[in-house]
Amino acid sequence: MPEQVSLKDSSRSETIELNLGPHHPSTHGVFRAVVQLDGEMVVDIVPHLGYLHRGYEKTCENKTYHNVIPLAERCDYMGASSNSLCYCLTVEKMLDVEVPERAQVIRVIMAELSRIFSHLFWLGTHGHDVGAMTPLFYMLREREEIMNLFELTAGGRLMPNYLRIGGLIRDLEEGFVERVRAFTGHFDRRVDEYETLLTKNAIYMDRTKGIGILPLEDAIALGASGPMVRGSGLAWDIRKSEPYSGYEQYQFDVPVETGCDIYSRYLVRVAEMRQSNRILKQAVDKLPEGPIRASQPGVIFPPQEEIYTKMESLIHHFMLVVEGVKPPAGEYYQVIESPRGEMGCYIVSDGGAKPYRLKWRAPAFVNLETLARMAKGFFFADLIAILSSIDIVLAEVDR
Amino acid sequence: MNQEQIAEKLLDKFGLDVVQTAVTFLDQITVTVAKEKILEVCTFLKEDPELAFNFLSFVAGVDRYPKTPRFEMVYQLSSLTRRHRFRIKALVEESEPGSAIIDSVFSIWPTADWHERETAEMFGITFRNHPDPRKLLLPEEWTCHPLRKDFSLYGTDEDTPDLPHKAGSQGI
């Protein structure tokens, strides 16, 4: 029998181990970490993943190229359109397909709506993790508007499944552009409201300034990307450094902070929402008329109306459904700037109708590696705030 | 530097004994290097001031079963200072179960820690000198490696005891 410890005697000389999660409000799903504590101070932390594993990559290797798109969206349901964009870009490069201008602009609109959508939910839950409940209600309000936009144009609210290899599944619904304009018109004022709640809030600042320090050198060594590395002082955004989908045509800034702490990461994400709103305004202004899907018989699905009127289109459609596309043998790595950082898709093709190997470079998985580096030496209560500042999506971490 | 220049620089430094093949697909080159020299090559790629590959995007395995050598280890690199990317590979043979071994690059890029652990459990490749070779995603008691090509999509009673097994299934 272990020795009975008096409740009145609070002195301890040894460290204790405490399980954080998997069922804990701040672990955002099923993340578990074994934390070694000296009093309330974190001495060490060992993350244990592996509760959700669905075999995403294995499943992709047993699906045709078109069938992978909805799986990719489920990998990070907070930035679903970013995922399908990354995957579609990779396959389009391998197939040498040129996506029409209108489809590219609409993809940018969907990707930036996804970024705002993701950052909003992060900000709400992050506020909740540090003890502020009001922000979550505010964020859900705007998030609902974006989900309504997704629903209007694609049917799905959380995972629109709207992108296709070569373009989009269908054109925008009537009224979509006007509703995006209305959203972008008032969204900056909404961000002002969020900042009123947190940016100068003394409690929030006390809980986040100087907490969870991640020096730039460590961030790079540990593979951190996105707001994690921009909060540590590096102006690195793939939309600028390796533009895709026409991002070089948009005016926007890359927010950078040098505090290397939770507060810096907060400021970066808030500023990013404003920049995404800026991109959205430009995108709806420049949205050209034209086709929304590349025309490459035998590679890209023909328009639905042609299937009923043209025999060739019917044959191409049938062959694509039955056999799928077959990129030439080779391997390709495509990156995009997802809400969480460098999202990459590496595909090895053997010339067949299914990816021979598909590796998903998930930013949340890699960013989570920084947790131990950031948490050591801080209070256990800070650990919750530090974890939430990474912005993990467990489906992506444990895919 | 562009992809050809990086490949040429590697070839100049290490010669044909180490730099075995360079395959171009679209605008990307994949250079295969000798497995025994992986640490030397990676150290050079990181420390050479013109290359400066300070960011490792990922480490991944590819199973070429039933070809030999069976495995490819893929290292996708990026330089945040020079703003270029590059990919190298090493071929890893498994002559008998458990004999697929390659040096860990953790000492060069600490982010390789989780990538290598994931690859180890998914493909059964051992990383020499890895500081924490525990499983990351799968249950400890599993002896199988799900991303191998000969692993059934449905699992087996022996290897994946906690999965519902589909009787009579031939798997993939």
Side-chain angles (χ1 to χ4, degrees):
Chain A
M1 285 285 286
E3 189 183 341
Q4 195 75 26
V5 178
S6 163
L7 291 175
K8 289 177 183 171
D9 179 12
S10 60
S11 63
R12 274 177 187 273
S13 55
E14 77 279 19
T15 58
I16 60 165
E17 273 187 4
L18 190 70
N19 270 295
L20 175 69
H23 297 290
H24 186 283
S26 78
T27 52
H28 295 219
V30 285
F31 174 69
R32 181 171 81 99
V34 179
V35 190
Q36 198 179 354
L37 292 171
D38 178 6
E40 281 192 64
M41 303 296 278
V42 176
V43 177
D44 199 6
I45 175 166
V46 180
H48 290 253
L49 317 177
Y51 292 88
L52 279 174
H53 198 64
R54 297 162 297 175
Y56 167 61
E57 290 176 6
K58 181 82 175 178
T59 311
C60 289
E61 289 167 19
N62 290 280
K63 298 273 182 198
T64 59
Y65 282 91
H66 286 107
N67 288 342
V68 170
I69 298 169
L71 293 175
E73 293 208 341
R74 273 144 189 80
C75 207
D76 170 10
Y77 42 81
M78 284 296 147
S81 291
S82 291
N83 291 28
S84 46
L85 176 58
C86 181
Y87 173 72
C88 289
L89 283 173
T90 316
V91 181
E92 284 156 9
K93 283 271 172 63
M94 299 182 86
L95 290 168
D96 194 21
V97 169
E98 187 72 30
V99 177
E101 177 71 14
R102 180 176 173 83
Q104 294 212 27
V105 176
I106 295 173
R107 283 177 169 196
V108 168
I109 292 173
M110 296 301 279
E112 293 309 316
L113 283 172
S114 284
R115 191 180 317 278
I116 294 175
F117 177 88
S118 174
H119 282 2
L120 280 174
F121 198 68
W122 167 79
L123 189 51
T125 51
H126 168 68
H128 199 258
D129 286 340
V130 293
M133 190 172 269
T134 311
L136 184 58
F137 302 131
Y138 278 48
M139 309 306 152
L140 291 179
R141 181 185 60 188
E142 272 73 73
R143 189 169 165 267
E144 186 70 16
E145 288 182 35
I146 296 177
M147 287 211 281
N148 288 339
L149 286 169
F150 287 160
E151 186 181 15
L152 173 67
T153 195
R157 286 169 65 78
L158 191 67
M159 289 166 282
N161 194 19
Y162 182 57
L163 273 62
R164 289 294 179 275
I165 296 164
L168 309 163
I169 187 169
R170 67 177 76 85
D171 209 337
L172 294 174
E173 286 292 320
E174 208 172 303
F176 179 85
V177 171
E178 289 68 32
R179 284 172 70 169
V180 173
R181 270 190 219 282
F183 175 81
T184 55
H186 67 240
F187 185 64
D188 280 336
R189 289 195 299 278
R190 298 285 168 85
V191 180
D192 293 341
E193 288 178 10
Y194 313 151
E195 293 220 62
T196 311
L197 290 171
L198 291 173
T199 305
K200 299 289 177 195
N201 181 318
I203 300 170
Y204 182 72
M205 288 167 77
D206 274 356
R207 291 216 53 192
T208 55
K209 272 195 161 182
I211 310 289
I213 301 292
L214 183 66
L216 181 57
E217 198 176 297
D218 290 354
I220 294 171
L222 291 166
S225 55
M228 295 289 293
V229 80
R230 290 194 283 274
S232 292
L234 182 68
W236 176 42
D237 187 315
I238 294 166
R239 292 173 295 175
K240 289 277 189 191
S241 61
E242 296 162 74
Y244 53 91
S245 297
Y247 267 107
E248 66 277 9
Q249 299 162 16
Y250 297 89
Q251 301 288 320
F252 66 100
D253 300 320
V254 178
V256 179
E257 293 288 331
T258 53
C260 307
D261 53 11
I262 301 173
Y263 192 67
S264 291
R265 296 190 272 279
Y266 158 78
L267 291 177
V268 164
R269 288 195 179 100
V270 168
E272 275 183 20
M273 287 198 282
R274 293 186 192 277
Q275 295 302 322
S276 289
N277 199 39
R278 202 174 148 196
I279 295 171
L280 280 173
K281 285 177 184 168
Q282 295 170 53
V284 290
D285 283 346
K286 69 175 281 189
L287 184 64
E289 292 298 322
I292 47 94
R293 204 178 302 162
S295 174
Q296 225 157 311
V299 177
I300 304 301
F301 280 102
Q304 196 72 30
E305 57 275 12
E306 280 187 17
I307 296 168
Y308 301 118
T309 53
K310 291 185 180 172
M311 179 55 79
E312 292 80 8
S313 296
L314 178 65
I315 293 168
H316 287 311
H317 181 89
F318 178 79
M319 294 306 287
L320 279 171
V321 170
V322 173
E323 287 199 352
V325 289
K326 292 177 181 170
E331 49 197 277
Y332 204 84
Y333 181 58
Q334 172 71 42
V335 286
I336 68 156
E337 184 69 32
S338 93
R340 270 158 281 286
E342 178 182 321
M343 173 178 285
C345 180
Y346 168 70
I347 293 180
V348 179
S349 165
D350 62 351
K354 298 169 183 174
Y356 184 78
R357 169 85 170 101
L358 186 146
K359 165 74 185 175
W360 198 251
R361 200 271 181 195
F365 173 81
V366 186
N367 289 347
L368 188 58
E369 276 193 84
T370 61
L371 178 65
R373 169 66 184 84
M374 292 194 291
K376 284 177 192 171
F378 290 101
F379 287 115
F380 183 75
D382 294 332
L383 171 63
I384 305 297
I386 294 167
L387 176 63
S388 86
S389 78
I390 299 174
D391 187 14
I392 49 170
V393 169
L394 261 298
E396 194 178 75
V397 171
D398 179 10
R399 57 203 181 281
Chain B
M1 289 178 89
N2 64 32
Q3 299 261 307
E4 287 86 8
Q5 288 168 327
I6 297 169
E8 275 173 27
K9 199 172 169 69
L10 263 183
L11 189 60
D12 288 346
K13 171 75 179 170
F14 292 100
L16 281 168
D17 288 345
V18 175
V19 180
Q20 294 166 340
T21 59
V23 178
T24 304
F25 182 75
L26 303 173
D27 55 346
Q28 295 185 357
I29 296 180
T30 308
V31 165
T32 304
V33 301
K35 171 185 101 161
E36 297 73 24
K37 297 285 182 183
I38 191 71
L39 272 182
E40 269 182 60
V41 173
C42 288
T43 306
F44 174 71
L45 285 165
K46 186 184 179 190
E47 293 182 354
D48 183 85
E50 280 187 335
L51 301 177
F53 285 108
N54 56 351
F55 190 87
L56 177 69
S57 287
F58 68 79
V59 175
V62 179
D63 183 8
R64 292 285 185 181
Y65 181 78
K67 286 184 190 168
T68 54
R70 179 169 181 169
F71 299 112
E72 293 172 359
M73 281 303 307
V74 184
Y75 302 83
Q76 182 69 45
L77 312 172
S78 175
S79 171
L80 300 185
T81 49
R82 298 285 178 182
R83 297 290 158 109
H84 50 212
R85 291 180 183 273
F86 200 62
R87 179 164 56 245
I88 60 166
K89 263 186 184 178
L91 304 180
V92 183
E93 181 52 74
E94 189 182 51
S95 49
E96 55 190 71
S99 66
I101 299 174
I102 190 167
D103 286 321
S104 166
V105 295
F106 172 83
S107 56
I108 302 166
W109 299 289
T111 184
D113 182 354
W114 284 16
H115 292 292
E116 288 183 343
R117 280 169 64 186
E118 186 188 5
T119 308
E121 61 191 328
M122 293 296 166
F123 290 91
I125 297 170
T126 306
F127 290 88
R128 196 184 286 120
N129 298 325
H130 192 285
D132 184 16
R134 285 180 302 116
K135 282 195 172 174
L136 190 66
L137 299 171
L138 300 178
E140 280 296 330
E141 66 272 16
W142 277 26
T143 54
C144 60
H145 307 296
L147 277 179
R148 286 189 174 200
K149 289 290 178 189
D150 54 353
F151 175 80
S152 162
L153 268 183
Y154 300 102
T156 63
D157 285 337
E158 296 77 31
D159 291 335
T160 56
D162 51 348
L163 279 185
H165 178 57
K166 212 170 187 177
S169 157
Q170 294 301 308
I172 53 174

